[in-house]
Every structure is written in structure tokens, then in C-alpha cells.
């Protein structure tokens, strides 16, 4: 017999310690990483098992331990790597272990409490239910009697539809009503099989996926020499699984996304999973289309607009390996993975990777680096203007610095002209502004009516007001 130390999942800042609970005979299977329901401060709350510990030798002290009341789910929620990451976060960000662990759970809590009252409205007791609900649909599967009838062929003449349906179920296993309809089997035939005892009606889990659309494969672009070199070095790190970090610094339009795609494809082909982090939801849709064209239904997407149950389905797909690539914003860094081999952080300098509103105040880029260190996955940090800390690490040799200095197909960068506004304001040089406006007008004629309707009015509208307002503050300029 043993006891367990449990981190209590409550949003309390000063709850830094774990609490020891006894384990009933029926729950002797629980170990570190399990989610459990335990009594705490007069209520039943969710807790995370941190470790097994020996029961106290003192009989009186042993009798004071409260028992774990239930286990949530049928497998541990946290694997060894996730638990180690949570412990690192608790130490690095100076938060409680429970605060760090609850980030790995969709919705940050897995149970909900419902009050049960009598006819007079008096509270009788509370009912605790799993908050994460699986979506299921009616399905059918062949049983032993159905297989025997199919082998004997007794339905082949008098009930050809049922005979064909049994053959489909025997090959495909459990199929929902809609899946049977796609195979030409009506719901009436399926019900007849169940009524005759030849098939069992069951509930089949359906994974919610709002991004389950087919994208046409785009043109396979020829990589530049710099892109080929970057992709080759990243692929070597993926194969070696030595937790190597890369800073992929490339100018705007240099094709960093194409390098991401080639590295992700190499990881997936080798049997690994990929995590792709983006700084905001607005960038998710266009990136998903690019990746869906390469990986199809193996893509999963996670962001704050998903419901708790939708996010739970995404977590399930990644944990079971049903999806190979996860694209998401900051919180996606806490997803479970069956076999993580590559993490990509796009626009790694963005401040949106930092959680500043709620505790713990973490940086998803640093959490990703820790998960890569613990799993051996390769880490790619992409940016045109890297974060100073990342850039310094690259200069110190702590991560490999990869450069993309030109655009594919020789595309030119926009022309940039630097104007010293102090001199222009001193001279009150409105002629200079008129010259700029004429340049915009010429370019707008080339671009067409759309540009004429938007660029010209904007330039003209702000031309005079900008000069006048800044001219009033000319004394502020040295």
C-alpha cells in the first residue's frame, strides 16, 4: 500500500505545497500524472498526482490521511516529460506546481460541480462530473452471430442488403450511421441487423475538427541555396534528436515558411510529431492552409476561440498520434504529444508569446525550449528581427544561426528612403511633401483604380495635418 502527493488544482497563489492522500484498494493503479478527485477544505476538487510516497509508519497519522475519491480518465494525463516541464516552470517562474500543471489541461479544470436540492430548495449534496465531454454518434459493429451468418451465407438470397452490410462491417469494424450511408447501407438495414442480433448498436467517438477541409497541393517551389542549407541542417538535428536549437533569421519574403514546411515534412516522414507556434490567431488561418496542402487531415489547430471540448479533442489527437502536426498560438505549447520531434516558433520575437495577464507569467518560447531539451526535439526560432536574447545566444554559439539574406527568384526589396524631418521642418519644406505625393500618384496609376481610391486620399489627407502638427513641436527637436 502507498499514498500519493497531490497538487490541488485551485487558483490560489500561495498554495505551494502538495497534500498527501491515501489510495483505496480500487485505485491502486494511479501513479504520477493522474488527475484525481480529492476532498479539500470541505469540498471535492481536482488534483494532480505528483508522486507515490510510502504510507506513514505511525498508525495514528496514517488514519488521518483522507482517501482519493476518484480517478479522472482512463490514462495518466501527464507523462514524464510534461510533469518535468511543469516542475521547471514552477521553479523558473516562481509559481506553485499546481498553477503550472493546470496549464496543460484544457479549460484549466476537468470537473464541474452541480448542486442537488430538495423541493424546498435546501442543498442536499453536490454532483461532480467530468467537464471534458466526448462527442459520440450512433454506430454499429458486427458481433459473433453476425460473423457466423456471414460465413454461412444464409442472408445472401433472402436479405441481400443485410448480407452486404455484414460484409462491410466485417471489413471496416465499427461504422457510424453516416459512414454506413457512404457505403450504401441505409439506417433501416443497420437497425434490422441490430434487431436480429447480428450487429451491436454502440456509441462511437467523433473528434470535432473545424479545420477539416481539403486544400489543393500548391506548387512545389525550388529552394534557394540558403533555404536548402537551412533545411538540411534542421533535418540532421531531427534525425539525431539531440535537442539542437536554430535561429532562422531571414528578411521579409525570404521563404522561411517554405523551410518550415520542408523540415516538418521530414519530421513527419520519420515518424515524429511537429508543433508550430504562431503569435496570434489572425496568422493561423493562412498558415493552416499551407500546411493542410502538405499534410491533409494530419493537421490539428489550437487557439483560444476553440471550446474546451474542441480543445480536448485536439489534445486527444496529438496524444494518440492521430494528428502529426499541431499549429497553434501560445497555449498550444502545453499540448501532449505521443512523439515530439520538431518545434517551430514563428516570429519568435513577438511579445504575444508572453502571458502577462494571468499567473504564471510564462514565455511560450522558453517553455518550448524546455520541452525540446527534455524530449530531444529540434527547435527552430524564426524571425526577420530576432529577440535580443535569442540573437545573443546565436552569437555565443548556444544555438545555430541560419541566414536567409535574399528573396527567391531575385525579387527586390522595397526601396527605402530616409528623410531627416528636423531639417524638413526647419525649412518648412512643403515642396518635398508635394514631390512624395506625385510619386505616390504615379505608382497608383500603375496599381490601378483600387490604389487610386485608397493610397491617394490617404496621402493627401495627412499631408497638411502632419506638417502643421509636427511643426508646432519643432522646439522639441535638438
Amino acid at each position: 500500500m502507498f499514498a500519493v502527493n497531490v497538487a490541488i488544482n485551485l487558483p490560489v497563489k500561495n498554495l505551494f505545497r502538495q497534500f498527501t492522500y491515501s489510495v483505496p484498494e480500487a485505485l491502486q493503479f494511479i501513479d504520477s500524472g493522474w488527475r484525481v478527485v480529492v476532498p479539500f477544505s470541505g469540498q471535492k476538487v481536482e488534483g494532480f498526482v505528483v508522486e507515490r510516497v510510502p504510507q506513514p509508519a505511525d498508525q495514528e497519522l496514517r488514519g488521518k490521511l483522507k482517501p482519493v475519491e476518484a480517478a479522472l480518465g482512463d490514462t495518466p494525463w501527464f507523462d514524464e516529460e510534461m510533469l518535468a516541464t511543469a516542475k521547471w516552470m514552477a521553479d523558473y517562474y516562481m509559481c506553485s506546481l499546481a498553477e503550472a500543471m493546470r496549464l496543460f489541461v484544457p479549460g484549466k479544470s476537468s470537473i464541474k460541480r452541480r448542486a442537488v436540492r430538495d423541493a424546498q430548495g435546501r442543498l442536499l449534496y453536490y454532483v461532480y462530473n467530468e467537464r471534458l465531454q466526448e462527442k459520440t454518434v450512433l454506430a454499429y459493429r458486427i458481433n459473433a452471430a453476425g460473423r457466423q451468418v456471414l460465413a454461412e451465407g444464409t442472408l445472401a438470397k433472402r436479405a441481400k442488403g443485410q448480407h452486404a452490410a455484414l460484409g462491410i462491417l466485417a471489413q471496416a469494424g465499427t461504422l457510424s450511421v453516416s459512414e454506413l450511408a457512404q457505403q450504401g447501407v441505409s439506417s433501416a438495414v443497420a437497425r434490422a441487423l441490430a434487431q436480429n442480433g447480428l450487429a451491436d448498436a454502440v456509441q462511437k467517438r467523433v473528434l470535432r475538427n473545424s479545420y477539416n477541409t481539403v486544400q489543393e497541393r500548391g506548387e512545389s517551389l525550388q529552394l534557394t541555396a540558403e533555404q536548402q542549407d537551412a533545411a538540411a541542417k534542421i533535418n540532421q538535428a531531427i534525425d539525431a534528436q539531440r535537442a539542437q536549437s536554430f535561429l532562422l533569421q531571414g528578411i521579409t519574403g525570404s521563404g522561411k515558411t517554405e523551410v518550415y514546411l520542408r523540415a516538418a515534412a521530414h519530421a513527419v516522414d520519420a515518424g515524429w510529431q511537429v508543433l508550430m507556434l504562431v503569435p496570434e490567431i489572425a496568422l493561423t488561418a493562412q498558415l493552416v492552409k499551407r500546411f493542410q496542402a502538405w499534410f491533409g487531415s494530419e493537421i490539428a489547430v489550437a487557439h483560444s476561440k476553440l471550446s474546451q471540448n474542441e480543445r480536448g479533442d485536439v489534445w486527444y489527437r496529438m496524444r494518440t498520434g492521430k494528428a502529426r502536426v499541431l499549429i497553434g498560438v501560445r497555449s498550444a505549447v502545453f499540448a501532449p504529444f505521443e512523439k515530439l520531434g520538431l518545434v517551430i516558433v514563428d516570429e519568435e520575437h513577438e511579445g504575444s508569446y508572453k502571458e502577462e495577464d494571468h499567473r504564471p507569467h510564462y514565455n511560450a518560447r522558453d517553455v518550448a525550449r524546455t520541452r525540446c531539451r527534455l524530449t530531444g526535439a529540434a527547435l527552430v526560432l524564426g524571425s526577420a528581427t530576432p529577440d535580443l536574447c535569442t540573437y545573443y545566444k546565436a552569437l555565443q554559439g548556444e544555438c545555430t544561426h541560419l541566414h536567409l539574406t535574399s528573396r527567391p527568384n531575385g525579387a527586390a526589396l522595397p526601396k527605402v528612403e530616409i528623410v531627416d524631418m528636423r531639417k524638413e521642418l526647419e525649412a518648412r519644406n512643403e515642396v518635398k511633401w508635394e514631390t512624395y505625393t506625385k510619386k505616390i500618384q504615379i505608382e497608383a496609376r500603375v496599381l490601378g483604380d483600387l490604389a487610386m481610391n485608397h493610397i491617394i486620399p490617404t496621402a493627401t489627407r495627412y499631408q497638411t495635418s502632419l506638417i502643421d502638427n509636427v511643426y508646432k513641436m519643432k522646439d522639441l527637436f535638438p
Side-chain angles (χ1 to χ4, degrees), residues 381-430:
L381 306 173
S383 177
T385 54
D387 179 83
L388 284 177
C389 295
T390 305
Y391 188 69
Y392 179 78
K393 289 181 178 180
L395 295 180
Q396 296 299 310
E398 295 182 32
C399 66
T400 303
H401 201 170
L402 305 175
H403 298 271
L404 299 178
T405 58
S406 61
R407 289 179 166 183
N409 302 322
L413 288 169
K415 183 180 178 181
V416 178
E417 184 176 354
I418 300 176
V419 178
D420 190 339
M421 291 302 299
R422 292 173 298 182
K423 295 181 180 179
E424 300 299 326
L425 290 170
E426 287 176 2
R428 195 172 176 81
N429 194 353
E430 298 186 20

Side-chain angles (χ1 to χ4, degrees), residues 1-8 17-24 27-38 47-56 65-70:
M1 299 291 287
F2 58 90
V4 290
N5 285 341
V6 176
I8 304 300
R17 56 169 291 194
Q18 286 92 56
F19 296 85
T20 305
Y21 290 85
S22 62
V23 181
L27 298 177
Q28 288 293 303
F29 57 87
I30 64 173
D31 204 340
S32 57
W34 279 84
R35 297 173 299 141
V36 293
V37 178
V38 294
F48 309 122
V49 177
V50 178
E51 59 183 347
R52 285 183 175 184
V53 294
Q55 283 201 353
L65 294 182
K66 296 180 180 179
V68 174
E69 298 207 357

Side-chain angles (χ1 to χ4, degrees), residues 5-10 16-18 31-36 46-51 76-91 95-110 315 319 334-335 359-360 362:
N5 285 341
V6 176
I8 304 300
N9 185 12
L10 287 176
F16 277 86
R17 56 169 291 194
Q18 286 92 56
D31 204 340
S32 57
W34 279 84
R35 297 173 299 141
V36 293
E46 180 185 38
F48 309 122
V49 177
V50 178
E51 59 183 347
W77 187 268
F78 297 86
D79 59 23
E80 185 177 346
E81 176 268 321
M82 294 167 68
L83 189 56
T85 301
K87 291 179 178 178
W88 172 84
M89 290 184 64
D91 179 65
C95 63
S96 69
L97 183 57
E99 284 181 299
M101 296 180 74
R102 70 198 300 259
L103 295 173
F104 291 84
V105 179
K108 300 181 180 180
S109 176
S110 298
W315 264 222
R319 184 192 301 276
F334 300 107
R359 285 176 54 92
Y362 65 88

Side-chain angles (χ1 to χ4, degrees), residues 89 92-93 95 354-363:
M89 290 184 64
Y92 188 77
Y93 295 112
C95 63
K354 297 181 180 179
E355 171 58 83
E356 297 179 325
D357 296 331
H358 307 285
R359 285 176 54 92
H361 304 301
Y362 65 88
N363 188 323

Side-chain angles (χ1 to χ4, degrees), residues 3-4 25 43 58-59 68 107 114 118 124 160 172 183 186 238 262 284 287 316 358 380 441 470:
V4 290
E25 187 69 31
Q43 57 180 324
D58 185 88
Q59 188 68 29
V68 174
R114 180 173 60 87
D118 60 15
L124 298 178
K160 294 182 179 179
Q183 298 285 341
S186 67
I238 294 172
R262 303 304 173 94
T284 305
L287 197 64
Y316 174 81
H358 307 285
V380 179
Q441 289 174 340
V470 178

